[in-house]
Amino acid sequence: MPYFKTSITICFFTILSFSTFSQTKNTTKKIKVNQDRIENRIFELSKFGKDLNGKGYRVSFTKGDVEGRKWFIDQMKKAGLEVTIDFAGNIIGKRQGTIDSLKTIGFGSHIDMVPDGGDYDGCLGSISGLEIMEILKENNIVTRHPLELIIFSDEEGSLLGSKALAGAFNKERLKMLSQSGLTVGEGIIAIGGKVDSISSVMRKKGDLAAFLELHIEQGGILEKENIQIGVVEGIVGIEDWEVTVEGFANHAGTTPMNLRKDALLSAAKLIVAVNEVITSHDGRQVGTVGKISAAPGAYNVVPGKVVLGLEIRDLSYDKIWELFHEIEKRAADIAQSGGTTITFKNQLLGATPALTDKSIQDKIIRATKSLNLTYKQMQSGAGHDSQDMALIAPIGMIFVPSVAGISHSPKEFSKAVDMANGANVLLQTILALDME
């Protein structure tokens, strides 16, 4: 008889638990983010680091960055999160789940910006993550999994925060001079981190159930094709090289054209060669020479030395290096014909390609369809914190349209409705992951 009563009791609680679960599941399908609150917070955060002309300068480790971080921490606390700053300067807001044994679902982005940058890059993913935490709180919804909102440090400069969490931070980067004027090591201290303890923030592979990032597209594909959501299939790898072209500086008036060792002429031919190599292959790879300086830099002197900045991006790491070696061969021919030397130095600041998790892609697509939104599967041509997080967790990325495809510019803009669409897809994807 006692066994019979126990069985009834267990059955009762099982039914009750299932009923509560079903009720919660139905409730979560109906909840949506607050569009106005997201946009207002974007505008509020944008004030930190603005100069008298209204230009943005919330570069990592600057006064604007420190003040913006302080504001964000305050918002996270008001949303009921347990907030900490790890030794790499990452801001982490935790929300407990109902089952402690389940792995944490992480999501977030960054709030630092490039010099004179825009108000949406990184900020959308960060503020939407905050909004999701707040919406769950307001609707008295507690997920099964613990949740973490992660605001990564120095994304635009050295990917400090995400690389530290993934155990991929190269300590040589501590000596790098950041845009703030501080070294990365000095910057870590400025935002509350601890240089000697950075390695301790590393998460083990499998510690997180998943990591998700919502971001503006930073390109014009979604807007051009009138598509509301981009489902990211992968983030391209990036490799940078400093290219030094050396010739011989000589008098521009007295040195005959056929006797010159013109470093700038060889550099110009190399720039054209880069474009020819990149465009001669099928695919979506890109190659850019985005920096050039010539010495001695006078009208009446044949340039003796030129330094270029070369970057190649593709979803295949092998292809990046295949393209580079082809450029190297072209450079050797150019150098020989011009009487110059051309050397390449890898900057060791690149990022490996990262494919997003197929099952998470599927959940993002289902969430998008459930909200009656249009979508396109696409790659990310820009680097993101998720790229490093892919080393330790399954990742997913969601894009929303960027007006005119503009990014890293004061004219960067995404419509409020598009931001809310992305945040709602992120919310429903998190809730779908929570069911596992």
Side-chain angles (χ1 to χ4, degrees):
M1 195 67 163
Y3 174 80
F4 178 69
K5 286 183 179 179
T6 302
S7 299
I8 292 175
T9 303
I10 292 172
C11 184
F12 172 76
F13 279 111
T14 301
I15 294 169
L16 182 64
S17 176
F18 179 77
S19 174
T20 305
F21 172 79
S22 300
Q23 208 169 24
T24 302
K25 193 172 180 182
N26 291 331
T27 303
T28 56
K29 284 184 178 179
K30 295 176 184 177
I31 65 169
K32 290 194 175 181
V33 300
N34 185 323
Q35 176 177 308
D36 291 338
R37 188 160 57 192
I38 290 175
E39 187 173 46
N40 288 337
R41 279 180 167 154
I42 288 280
F43 294 152
E44 197 169 347
L45 179 57
S46 74
K47 296 175 185 176
F48 297 100
K50 286 276 174 79
D51 63 18
L52 295 176
N53 297 314
K55 290 186 176 181
Y57 198 82
R58 198 170 58 252
V59 169
S60 298
F61 317 135
T62 60
K63 180 183 177 185
D65 184 36
V66 172
E67 291 176 346
R69 287 165 56 88
K70 184 178 178 182
W71 174 85
F72 209 101
I73 289 169
D74 185 53
Q75 299 299 306
M76 291 168 87
K77 288 179 178 178
K78 287 178 180 177
L81 302 182
E82 178 189 333
V83 185
T84 57
I85 300 173
D86 70 18
F87 292 136
N90 294 310
I91 304 169
I92 301 173
K94 296 183 180 181
R95 191 171 192 263
Q96 293 300 317
T98 57
I99 305 176
D100 292 337
S101 60
L102 292 179
K103 293 179 181 179
T104 297
I105 299 171
F107 48 96
S109 195
H110 64 98
I111 63 170
D112 63 296
M113 61 168 60
V114 297
D116 202 18
D119 299 333
Y120 299 81
D121 176 6
C123 300
L124 171 61
S126 300
I127 286 172
S128 294
L130 173 63
E131 173 64 21
I132 286 167
M133 292 293 205
E134 200 142 19
I135 281 291
L136 292 175
K137 179 187 175 187
E138 289 171 353
N139 286 273
N140 298 313
I141 295 170
V142 181
T143 54
R144 299 165 68 244
H145 291 252
L147 303 179
E148 278 190 13
L149 171 57
I150 306 174
I151 310 303
F152 296 101
S153 60
D154 193 30
E155 192 269 357
E156 297 291 4
S158 66
L159 287 165
L160 162 63
S162 54
K163 284 192 177 298
L165 280 177
F169 185 75
N170 185 337
K171 289 188 177 180
E172 288 299 309
R173 294 186 179 214
L174 295 172
K175 303 171 187 175
M176 286 174 47
L177 193 65
S178 72
Q179 293 277 1
S180 69
L182 301 174
T183 64
V184 173
E186 291 167 338
I188 290 170
I189 296 168
I191 59 173
K194 191 174 180 182
V195 175
D196 295 337
S197 302
I198 286 180
S199 59
S200 68
V201 310
M202 182 180 72
R203 305 283 182 96
K204 294 177 183 176
K205 189 170 184 177
D207 279 355
L208 294 176
F211 180 80
L212 301 171
E213 186 171 7
L214 170 64
H215 210 281
I216 60 171
E217 181 196 348
Q218 296 183 278
I221 296 172
L222 294 177
E223 185 188 50
K224 183 180 179 181
E225 298 183 14
N226 197 28
I227 292 171
Q228 294 161 306
I229 296 294
V231 181
V232 179
E233 297 173 297
I235 307 165
V236 298
I238 306 170
E239 285 295 339
D240 295 335
W241 293 266
E242 182 177 87
V243 187
T244 303
V245 184
E246 293 187 280
F248 189 82
N250 213 338
H251 197 294
T254 62
T255 308
M257 298 300 286
N258 65 334
L259 296 180
R260 296 183 177 202
K261 296 180 179 180
D262 188 332
L264 187 53
L265 181 59
S266 290
K269 291 178 179 179
L270 178 60
I271 292 169
V272 172
V274 167
N275 187 68
E276 289 173 348
V277 169
I278 297 297
T279 56
S280 68
H281 291 254
D282 292 332
R284 292 182 283 183
Q285 68 279 349
V286 294
T288 308
V289 176
K291 184 181 78 169
I292 181 170
S293 63
Y299 285 102
N300 57 353
V301 182
V302 176
K305 181 178 180 179
V306 174
V307 178
L308 305 173
L310 168 65
E311 181 179 271
I312 304 175
R313 301 186 183 210
D314 192 70
L315 207 52
S316 164
Y317 206 50
D318 289 340
K319 191 171 187 180
I320 288 174
W321 284 98
E322 177 189 341
L323 293 165
F324 170 69
H325 292 315
E326 197 170 324
I327 290 168
E328 265 190 321
K329 290 178 183 177
R330 292 286 296 272
D333 293 339
I334 292 167
Q336 185 176 17
S337 65
T340 58
T341 62
I342 302 177
T343 56
F344 296 83
K345 181 182 179 182
N346 189 273
Q347 295 301 92
L348 303 176
L349 296 174
T352 55
L355 298 178
T356 57
D357 183 81
K358 184 62 171 61
S359 67
I360 296 178
Q361 284 184 47
D362 292 342
K363 288 179 178 63
I364 293 170
I365 290 170
R366 284 198 294 272
T368 303
K369 287 180 176 178
S370 74
L371 294 164
N372 296 315
L373 301 173
T374 56
Y375 73 92
K376 177 186 181 73
Q377 290 178 279
M378 60 196 302
Q379 72 176 33
S380 171
H384 300 283
D385 289 306
S386 291
Q387 201 154 6
D388 292 315
M389 296 303 285
L391 297 172
I392 58 171
I395 64 164
M397 277 203 79
I398 302 161
F399 279 169
V400 297
S402 296
V403 172
I406 298 171
S407 184
H408 282 190
S409 161
K411 294 183 179 180
E412 178 180 273
F413 180 70
S414 286
K415 297 175 184 175
V417 64
D418 289 327
M419 293 192 290
N421 285 340
N424 279 319
V425 171
L426 176 62
L427 169 60
Q428 292 303 324
T429 304
I430 290 168
L431 293 172
L433 283 164
D434 189 49
M435 294 298 106
E436 294 184 344

